[in-house]
Amino acid sequence: MTDTETRRAAAASAVSGVEIVLDAVTKHYPGQRDPAVDRVSLTIPAGEIVVFVGPSGCGKTTTMRMINRLIEPSSGTITIGGRDVAGMNPDHLRRGIGYSIQQAGLFPHLTVAKNIATVPGLLGWDRARIAARVDEMLDLVGLDPDTYRRRYPRQLSGGQQQRVGVARALAADPPVLLMDEPFGAVDPITRGSLQDELLRLQAELGKTIVFVTHDFTEAVKLGDRIAVLGNQSRILQYDTPAAILADPADETVAGFVGADASLKQLTLTRVRDVALGECPTAVESEPVTALRAALAGRDRPWALILDTQRRPLRWVSAEQLAHADSLRDAGAPVGAPLSLRSTLQDALEALLAEQTATAVVTGSRGEYAGLITIDTLVAHLSALRAEHGGGHAESEIPT
Ligand code: ADP
Ligand code: MG
């Protein structure tokens, strides 16, 4: 058994997804000289996230939409859980497949609750069950049901709309989720936290997820496997992120992986897998003197001020503390914190944005969990280099 198979077997009890098989699937749009998708064959294992990544226009959306028959293939077959989709009623098929797209694709004239209730409503669930499910889904994607269920999409931020889009896609508990650049329209920080959220959900749900993106870093972060697609969805490489980074199949894939492949290795490691740093902390109601004493004589003259639930609020320097009477108005706000599922690439971006060159990590309830500094990242990369002697094709990078 390979590592992946062992992990799959261990996680098998949690898998609710089903296998999807594409066999020589082709789409020839009317009036076009060449097919948009040309004889794609690919097996998407049950319970995995498979990412289609490739340049704009290469046929990612067309390939994905043939799976739920929003687009009919010209030839070839697609099976889901062993059943040929061509023989299924398209409406029934789509109710069993969650679908989430860029800009969330919410119905603007319906409330958040009604949007999430769409497919359960079509399935004929009773009102009480639908209402309970709406609240459960809002909780799941991190939105407070009492605050959000009666709002309209225009009353939400882009990131919140994407969360509702994911909640709607999951509402009827489909085994399969298709996600077409779902986080493409939000800012990078929000995108990072939506990605973390998706990984957290998937660890619980074990769906089969097909995720389309043109961002290779996103593919590396999210994918159990990545299909790198060229023109007409030709599969240039289909493998784990580690294998593709270590050994791109050809020049085109290498170009896509990019010149900074070694920095992309940072995307393969999660914050939870490295030793976190520490600094002095104090709750903002505590006296200044104790924190001043804790900082005295330290190399890094920075401390963190926390709220009563130990969530990070502000960085404060020894110099600022020397003049402060209270911790309530001292220091400068901490940037967006990392979660334990964030990658070291996310950590690099976060710490570059901090005057302290240090990124703060929080746990599942937002509580302070530790720090990542540039030293953490340098140590990690040099350990990887030592282990792999410069990175050879057959080396498996531990994730
Ligand atoms: P991607 O999602 O990778 O950007 P698409 O699947 O949207 O690519 O498009 C693949 C190719 O098919 C493109 O050349 C596009 O112009 C073409 N195409 C997409 N939809 C249609 C359509 N409805 N009719 C004709 N050509 C289309
Ligand atoms: Mg597309």
Side-chain angles (χ1 to χ4, degrees), residues 29-30 32 36-37 54-63 71 180-181 212:
Y29 286 111
Q32 304 283 313
V37 172
S56 181
C58 76
K60 303 181 295 297
T61 295
T62 302
T63 304
I71 294 174
D180 193 350
E181 310 213 24
V212 160

Side-chain angles (χ1 to χ4, degrees), residues 83-135:
R83 290 184 63 195
D84 188 340
V85 299
M88 295 166 74
N89 173 310
D91 291 328
H92 293 175
L93 171 71
R94 285 197 280 277
R95 282 171 214 164
I97 300 179
Y99 185 51
S100 156
I101 58 174
Q102 191 167 337
Q103 316 284 18
L106 300 176
F107 304 123
H109 58 292
L110 297 182
T111 61
V112 163
K114 290 241 165 63
N115 266 284
I116 296 172
T118 308
V119 178
L122 288 169
L123 292 171
W125 294 15
D126 67 53
R127 290 171 60 132
R129 184 175 172 209
I130 290 178
R133 185 67 176 169
V134 165
D135 287 3

Side-chain angles (χ1 to χ4, degrees), residues 206-226:
K207 305 286 184 192
T208 304
I209 299 178
V210 185
F211 189 106
V212 160
T213 182
H214 59 263
D215 175 358
F216 192 74
T217 304
E218 181 168 65
V220 171
K221 177 170 178 180
L222 294 179
D224 293 306
R225 288 162 209 267
I226 299 174

